[in-house]
Amino acid sequence: MISADRPFGILLYPYFEKAYEAVVGSPASSFKFVSKDTPFSTDKQTYGACLTYLIVVLSFRYLMRNQKPFSLTLLFRIHNLILTFISLALFLLISEQFIPPNPQSWLLLLSLQRECLEPED
């Protein structure tokens, strides 16, 4: 049933938590960002991944310049459909976190916070 606590009728985060744990091996709630330890947390790792991507793409472009193009329309459509569903799931998870459980209490809370209503000088 749709309510302020469950804006989509069900809580989505527990499903995400189970899926994350199935893939990664630990729950999403235990994730901690550790600088220089978490993947892609350093410039060197990020630039290296971007450079590798460019080398692979440009190399294949060079190698395939005299080849007849492959017909991969169905594969690309399936790929785009999967990406669309993943984006929708992430959007709904983020939305679930930002929809206030009780909108009236948020309005009251904001009205009591002077910093929220008055610009800083």
Side-chain angles (χ1 to χ4, degrees):
M1 180 175 183
I2 296 177
S3 67
D5 291 334
R6 297 171 188 223
F8 305 111
I10 58 172
L11 290 176
L12 300 175
Y13 189 78
Y15 293 106
F16 170 73
E17 185 91 14
K18 288 179 186 176
Y20 184 91
E21 189 169 4
V23 172
V24 177
S26 61
S29 56
S30 68
F31 175 79
K32 299 285 184 236
F33 180 84
V34 179
S35 183
K36 298 183 181 171
D37 186 36
T38 304
F40 296 103
S41 63
T42 64
D43 290 342
K44 186 177 180 180
Q45 293 172 334
T46 305
Y47 294 144
C50 291
L51 185 62
T52 302
Y53 171 79
L54 287 173
I55 289 171
V56 168
V57 168
L58 295 176
S59 297
F60 272 100
R61 183 178 175 188
Y62 178 76
L63 292 172
M64 300 297 291
R65 71 184 184 280
N66 296 325
Q67 298 288 328
K68 181 182 157 199
F70 297 124
S71 178
L72 300 173
T73 306
L74 179 63
L75 183 64
F76 285 142
R77 286 183 180 175
I78 292 170
H79 176 260
N80 285 337
L81 189 64
I82 291 169
L83 290 179
T84 300
F85 282 127
I86 291 171
S87 295
L88 176 65
L90 291 174
F91 173 74
L92 293 176
L93 281 166
I94 291 170
S95 298
E96 184 180 62
Q97 297 298 313
F98 285 107
I99 295 174
N102 186 353
Q104 292 80 15
S105 66
W106 275 58
L107 290 174
L108 176 63
L109 180 65
L110 287 175
S111 67
L112 297 175
Q113 300 280 336
R114 293 189 82 173
E115 300 86 30
C116 293
L117 300 174
E118 296 177 1
E120 294 183 18
D121 292 328

